[in-house]
Amino acid sequence: MDSADTPDGQPAPTPEEDHRLTAEELAFLLRDPAERARDAERAARSNRSRTERRASDPDYAERLRAGDRERQRRRRMRDAIGRPEPQEVPAVPLPDLSEAQAAERLAAHLDRSASAQAAQLRRQPDRIRLYAEAFVAYRTLSSAGARPTRGALATLLKSRFGRSLTPSQVQKLRDHVEGFAMPGGPWEEAASPARRKGAAKADMRRHASRAGKA
């Protein structure tokens, strides 16, 4: 085989051939500058029109955002091909409460709080009801121990409570449910009777031990 040949037996390209432009590259370079300017102006007008309509038409703006989210979702799916599955995030434990009980606990918690946010929420009973519905949805979906996804929460809130929410609204709801379940919050999971009994026995043993050393 000639040293100038490629492994498949074809002649190796010359330096001139290596730098030869493709048909697409040639077409781009040979385009009329005036035509390129017209295309740029059309694109600018389209962008201005889209921006103005987005500002004046909330439905149109939401459709654009939905399209952006869908494109981002597809891009993340493409990027995730071949990567290991992410670890499952555990759910925040919630007490066994009905929707009404969850709302009552939250309202009582807000009544005791002096924060500006609590004062604002006290004047919005529908918001409190929404949080209670999110509590029920979160607890229902987390029965297997995994943190509910935004999509699953949105679907259950729609089918069970008739709530149509955007992904960002569902994200905030999930964050609030988990925040209210933190220690000191209205939905903190109470210790079970067995755990309370065990803790009381441990306290008695510690007390007896200190008395014996006295």
Side-chain angles (χ1 to χ4, degrees):
M1 181 177 68
D2 194 307
S3 60
D5 290 345
T6 60
D8 60 3
Q10 298 298 322
T14 64
E16 292 78 8
E17 291 174 329
D18 276 342
H19 295 86
R20 183 176 296 169
L21 297 173
T22 65
E24 292 79 7
E25 291 170 333
L26 280 171
F28 176 80
L29 292 175
L30 295 176
R31 286 181 65 195
D32 182 5
E35 182 182 354
R36 291 202 299 269
R38 287 194 295 270
D39 288 345
E41 177 58 27
R42 280 196 295 268
R45 285 199 304 269
S46 177
N47 287 336
R48 286 195 299 270
S49 175
R50 187 181 298 110
T51 300
E52 292 169 358
R53 186 176 176 188
R54 184 196 294 264
S56 61
D57 188 343
D59 291 338
Y60 176 73
E62 180 55 33
R63 288 198 297 273
L64 288 181
R65 286 192 292 268
D68 290 340
R69 289 193 295 267
E70 178 60 21
R71 285 189 291 273
Q72 292 170 7
R73 185 188 68 82
R74 289 198 295 265
R75 183 170 61 251
R76 287 194 297 269
M77 290 178 64
R78 288 195 301 268
D79 294 342
I81 294 176
R83 293 182 182 175
E85 290 291 327
Q87 291 186 347
E88 195 173 70
V89 178
V92 171
L94 297 175
D96 184 9
L97 301 173
S98 67
E99 179 190 341
Q101 290 170 331
E104 288 173 4
R105 276 204 192 182
L106 178 56
H109 175 80
L110 295 174
D111 287 340
R112 293 191 300 268
S113 176
S115 71
Q117 183 184 24
Q120 183 181 17
L121 285 176
R122 283 196 294 268
R123 297 192 296 269
Q124 301 179 52
D126 185 66
R127 190 75 172 273
I128 294 175
R129 184 165 60 251
L130 173 59
Y131 286 144
E133 293 168 355
F135 169 95
V136 172
Y138 188 108
R139 193 171 187 279
T140 300
L141 294 169
S142 63
S143 58
R147 187 191 197 199
T149 64
R150 290 181 304 176
L153 277 172
T155 299
L156 186 54
L157 286 166
K158 174 64 175 177
S159 63
R160 185 164 179 177
F161 302 106
R163 299 280 188 176
S164 298
L165 304 170
T166 66
S168 62
Q169 289 172 328
V170 175
Q171 173 72 56
K172 291 177 181 178
L173 269 181
R174 185 175 64 176
D175 291 344
H176 279 112
V177 169
E178 293 175 340
F180 288 137
M182 293 295 103
W187 295 335
E188 177 184 5
E189 187 181 38
S192 66
R195 289 181 59 188
R196 288 197 297 268
K197 186 175 180 181
K201 287 183 177 179
D203 287 341
M204 291 175 64
R205 285 196 297 268
R206 285 194 295 268
H207 179 74
S209 175
R210 286 195 298 267
K213 292 178 181 178

